[in-house]
Amino acid sequence: QVQLLESGGGLVQAGGSLRLSCAASGRPFSSYAMGWFRQAPGKERDFVAAISSLGGRTSYVDSVKGRFTISRDNAKNTVYLQMDSLNPEDSATYYCAVVNDPWRVGTWSASDVDYWGKGTLVTVSS
């Protein structure tokens, strides 16, 4: 079992930045890949970014490439999502996710995910 707790969401103006954090507990942190999804009201939960267990491989959805950066600190059992140049289309609830395959990056589907956090809300005002 893995427990996930996100933080760092909030209200920001367009063009601003936020950093999301997700603290994990349970199984050894370096034994699984981690990622972020987001879900806007009335829409599906969509993949945003992923990082392999040791942090050497990352992947992003095209719409956030060059603006978002995923990273992890295995000593702190935490994964981060640095979000820059935010725009209103980035507004959503952001969910931390775990896939048991430690090397899995690429594009994840929601059905690939083994554990979910409860989400943190990001609102970008225009």
Side-chain angles (χ1 to χ4, degrees), residues 56-70:
R57 300 170 63 193
T58 60
S59 57
Y60 300 89
V61 67
D62 285 347
S63 61
V64 308
K65 285 181 180 177
R67 300 189 299 122
F68 290 13
T69 303
I70 189 170

Side-chain angles (χ1 to χ4, degrees), residues 30-98:
S30 60
S31 68
Y32 43 82
M34 297 200 70
W36 292 92
F37 282 70
R38 64 186 179 186
Q39 186 169 21
K43 296 190 176 182
E44 294 185 350
R45 192 172 295 189
D46 292 328
F47 172 78
V48 176
I51 187 166
S52 59
S53 60
L54 300 182
R57 300 170 63 193
T58 60
S59 57
Y60 300 89
V61 67
D62 285 347
S63 61
V64 308
K65 285 181 180 177
R67 300 189 299 122
F68 290 13
T69 303
I70 189 170
S71 62
R72 64 192 292 163
D73 186 337
N74 285 5
K76 296 182 178 180
N77 291 357
T78 302
V79 65
Y80 305 97
L81 187 67
Q82 176 68 42
M83 305 186 295
D84 299 320
S85 302
L86 285 161
N87 59 62
E89 290 70 38
D90 296 314
S91 296
T93 299
Y94 283 71
Y95 295 91
C96 183
V98 164

